[in-house]
Amino acid sequence: MDGVEERKKSWENALADAVPVSPFFTGSVIAALFFASYLLTAFLSGGKIVVVRGDDVSLSRDAWAALALALFWFAIIGIGRYTAIANLRDARSLADLVPRITTEKVDHYARGVTPRELAHSRLAGLAGLFLGGILYAVAVLGAWRLGWAAFENPVDVWMMLMVSLLGVQLLRRVYFLRGDTGLFADAVKGLEPDLSDISRLDAFGRVALRGALPWFVVSGILALLLVGQDAAGVTVPALILTLAAAFFTFSRPMLRAHGVIHRAKQRDLGKLRGQIRNHEKALHGGGEAAREAAAMLPALETRLEHVREWPLDLQTAGRLILYTAIPLGSWFGGSVVNIALEALIS
């Protein structure tokens, strides 16, 4: 159609459209396949998958690292696609309420990205490929010091390739993230909220929580590494930083929406209290209309005072609590894996 900007879908979106299943299922399958490839590589190369130290039985450090890397694929593929789909759905629900969100704009984002944006994402992915591979080879394998001898272990090569591919997807997701949330970036500007039905703005809370979800998942992966790695001095600060990033990502748009609702509420309360004072003065002069208004307006004032100022329903608040518990659940799950392995071996 003439006048319509050409837009294309990334391979992740094209795959999601071709396979009509939940994005979480797709992410889980991809993560399982990558972890299975590690198990095959370790088995064929004679690498250790399970380590027995006296009475302690656990996955090896490499196995824990491979499991964490596989879970990163779940976070990038599954959660990334889920966020894009759910944000578009919430944007459609706000199309007749928020001036800066229109049906045409939502359809524009739903068609994909522009060829220029797709080309830029490929450049970002190429940068991630080299950065991930080079950093792992130099910092972890010691290739600068050992030369080609650093690549003799097939498991180390698998890890380097995995980190490189994750670098590709991670930088591409960072680039596309602005598109996934772009519909809501300036949505509160010029918004005049309907205080009689504030629940319609709960979409802002859901979008904010989805933006924080990847950080919560990353914190869970780091908590999992605490079970199988001897790197608490690095992992614990990283865990704290990712949790802080999650709450910052969630709270920033929530504070903006809260400010808009609060100002609208105070403005309406000011107008209503002015009317109450006027009718109280008129009441002294008599008049049935003044008496009815004087009796009705205080009730409206009380109702308006109790209107909540945060676009956060109980379901979203409950999810926030569950997401906060992801690191604890991940650490507990890793401990259960060790207990199960110990039971099987013994």
Side-chain angles (χ1 to χ4, degrees):
M1 183 183 296
D2 294 338
V4 178
E5 183 183 23
E6 180 187 4
R7 298 183 75 82
K8 298 181 179 180
K9 292 183 180 295
S10 63
W11 74 263
E12 298 96 333
N13 290 351
L15 174 65
D17 292 341
V19 182
V21 295
S22 165
F24 290 114
F25 179 79
T26 304
S28 299
V29 170
I30 292 175
L33 289 175
F34 273 105
F35 187 64
S37 71
Y38 160 76
L39 294 177
L40 180 62
T41 302
F43 177 76
L44 294 178
S45 63
K48 291 184 178 180
I49 298 174
V50 178
V51 177
V52 180
R53 299 186 184 92
D55 294 333
D56 295 331
V57 180
S58 174
L59 291 175
S60 67
R61 293 184 61 183
D62 285 342
W64 281 116
L67 180 59
L69 291 174
L71 289 175
F72 272 117
W73 279 101
F74 167 77
I76 293 173
I77 300 299
I79 295 177
R81 180 58 182 165
Y82 157 74
T83 298
I85 294 173
N87 283 356
L88 284 172
R89 182 176 63 246
D90 278 328
R92 293 187 190 280
S93 71
L94 294 172
D96 61 338
L97 182 67
V98 179
R100 290 178 177 263
I101 297 180
T102 63
T103 302
E104 293 76 14
K105 193 173 182 179
V106 176
D107 291 338
H108 174 78
Y109 274 85
R111 289 199 304 270
V113 297
T114 65
R116 182 181 180 183
E117 290 172 333
L118 193 59
H120 287 174
S121 75
R122 289 168 179 165
L123 290 176
L126 187 62
L129 177 68
F130 284 103
L131 286 175
I134 292 174
L135 286 176
Y136 191 87
V138 173
V140 179
L141 299 185
W144 185 268
R145 176 174 50 87
L146 299 176
W148 291 108
F151 306 102
E152 293 179 352
N153 187 343
V155 171
D156 289 338
V157 175
W158 182 93
M159 291 284 184
M160 185 185 70
L161 291 175
M162 178 66 71
V163 171
S164 299
L165 291 175
L166 276 174
V168 172
Q169 285 303 109
L170 181 61
L171 289 193
R172 290 181 75 250
R173 281 307 310 162
V174 169
Y175 178 82
F176 284 135
L177 184 62
R178 65 187 183 91
D180 293 342
T181 58
L183 279 168
F184 302 89
D186 299 318
V188 295
K189 291 183 178 179
L191 173 63
E192 294 293 338
D194 181 7
L195 298 180
S196 65
D197 188 10
I198 205 66
S199 62
R200 295 195 63 188
L201 296 180
D202 289 342
F204 285 106
R206 294 192 293 269
V207 171
L209 187 58
R210 290 188 204 107
L213 178 57
W215 290 107
F216 281 119
V217 173
V218 171
S219 69
I221 295 172
L222 291 172
L224 185 66
L225 287 176
L226 284 174
V227 180
Q229 300 287 335
D230 298 325
V234 176
T235 308
V236 171
L239 174 61
I240 295 173
L241 286 175
T242 52
L243 284 174
F247 282 105
F248 175 79
T249 304
F250 172 73
S251 61
R252 188 179 180 186
M254 290 294 290
L255 287 171
R256 290 176 177 175
H258 165 71
V260 171
I261 297 172
H262 177 75
R263 287 190 293 271
K265 180 177 176 179
Q266 294 304 312
R267 184 180 61 247
D268 288 359
L269 278 172
K271 292 179 181 178
L272 188 58
R273 286 164 180 165
Q275 294 178 18
I276 291 174
R277 287 192 295 269
N278 291 335
H279 284 290
E280 285 176 345
K281 293 178 182 178
L283 182 61
H284 296 291
E288 186 65 27
R291 281 193 293 272
E292 292 179 359
M296 178 182 65
L297 290 178
L300 293 176
E301 179 188 20
T302 301
R303 179 180 177 184
L304 185 57
E305 285 177 339
H306 286 84
V307 170
R308 57 187 171 92
E309 299 182 3
W310 295 92
L312 189 68
D313 57 13
L314 289 177
Q315 185 179 23
T316 305
R319 287 181 178 178
L320 175 61
I321 295 173
L322 289 176
Y323 292 170
T324 305
I326 285 177
L328 178 61
S330 178
W331 176 84
F332 178 76
S335 301
V336 169
V337 169
N338 282 342
I339 294 172
L341 285 173
E342 185 175 350
L344 288 173
I345 296 298
S346 61

